[in-house]
Amino acid sequence: MTEVEDIDSTPSVTPQPAPKPVAYRPLVVGIDDSFTVLEEMRSLFTPNQYRFLGISDATHVLLTLLEVKPGLIFLDLVMPIVNGYEICAQIRRIPHFENTPITILTSQDTLVDRLRAKMVGATDFLSKPLVVKQVNEIAQKYL
């Protein structure tokens, strides 16, 4: 047996540089059954300091929205299985999304469609095809 010196048990802490602040980038969610529209929206938002998530399956929208908590939602009106009116009404029933802006996207731009969209809680309404200037104005207005 040999004698051994005591080991210094105090942890050595190497000072770490403070993490650089990450700029807040709001999340925009697009809900549309058209992959073309979702890709078009992605190309509009991601270069402009926004994050974008496209959802094409309307049956899992609510769970996904609860996970990601977007700052702005673009919602297609005409989709298979469940339409935009129903999804908008369901989103508005969730307390966290009471004030989240929801913009309805549709090629059916009639007065009845606009009124019905307002009745289910839509914040805004845009006609398809998307116009870059209008989409950017919506994003700037609400984010």
Side-chain angles (χ1 to χ4, degrees):
M1 290 230 256
T2 57
E3 196 170 311
V4 180
E5 291 182 32
D6 288 340
I7 299 174
D8 185 12
S9 62
T10 57
S12 63
V13 177
T14 308
Q16 298 291 326
K20 294 180 181 178
V22 177
Y24 174 72
R25 294 180 51 210
L27 176 64
V28 177
V29 168
I31 304 165
D32 200 307
D33 59 319
S34 168
F35 290 108
T36 305
V37 171
L38 292 176
E39 282 306 309
E40 184 180 355
M41 291 177 72
R42 181 180 316 282
S43 70
L44 291 173
F45 287 113
T46 51
N48 292 319
Q49 303 305 317
Y50 298 109
R51 295 175 295 143
F52 180 78
L53 174 65
I55 302 173
S56 60
D57 181 6
T59 58
H60 296 88
V61 167
L62 297 178
L63 289 174
T64 304
L65 291 177
L66 284 168
E67 287 176 17
V68 301
K69 296 180 177 57
L72 175 61
I73 300 169
F74 284 89
L75 175 60
D76 185 23
L77 192 58
V78 180
M79 293 184 288
I81 301 173
V82 61
N83 67 42
Y85 296 125
E86 294 168 357
I87 293 173
C88 187
Q90 290 174 0
I91 292 169
R92 288 295 184 221
R93 286 188 197 110
I94 300 171
H96 181 80
F97 298 117
E98 287 176 350
N99 299 314
T100 302
I102 300 173
T103 299
I104 296 289
L105 300 174
T106 187
S107 54
Q108 298 179 0
D109 189 356
T110 68
L111 180 60
V112 172
D113 292 315
R114 287 178 178 266
L115 289 173
R116 189 169 176 200
K118 283 289 184 193
M119 289 174 51
V120 295
T123 313
D124 229 316
F125 197 94
L126 280 181
S127 296
K128 287 182 182 179
L130 297 177
V131 177
V132 174
K133 182 180 176 190
Q134 292 175 333
V135 173
N136 286 334
E137 286 172 355
I138 295 284
Q140 289 176 0
K141 183 177 178 180
Y142 296 114
L143 295 176

